[in-house]
Amino acid sequence: MSGLVTLLADEAWLAAYVAENRARLAAAYAATTRALTAAGIPFVPAEAGFFCLVDLRRFLGAPTWAEEDALWRRMLARTNVNLTPGSACRAPEPGFFRLCFAAVPTEQATEAIARIGAMLA
């Protein structure tokens, strides 16, 4: 039996692993949404997942995909933070950006949010 099969067959270990992952993801989401709120950045509350959508429509010069691209480029150049533009995620309208809070340590995610908030202020 391979190592992975052995781990997955261990129901107690698997239950503890899933519970720990859920707890860590919930904590990362809570810290992220607190940081977004503190920075005055609106977001769409997530029900599950590794990311949330930030609503930066009010920071667009016009409601166009070109303006979304321009904002994305400014954020990347000024803050060194790369959010995924809504156009790459099939957002229904320009101005929504995907923020993946589970891909980096929570401290890095909250620092990134603070940088974006300072740039937008």
Side-chain angles (χ1 to χ4, degrees), residues 3 9 35 42 44 52 58 62-64 92 94 96 102 104 114:
V44 178
C52 65
R58 71 180 177 166
T64 66
F96 290 95
V104 296

Side-chain angles (χ1 to χ4, degrees), residues 35-62:
L36 287 167
T37 300
I41 300 173
F43 61 94
V44 178
E47 293 181 21
F50 303 102
F51 64 87
C52 65
L53 291 177
V54 294
D55 179 359
L56 303 182
R57 291 178 293 178
R58 71 180 177 166
F59 301 101
L60 300 179

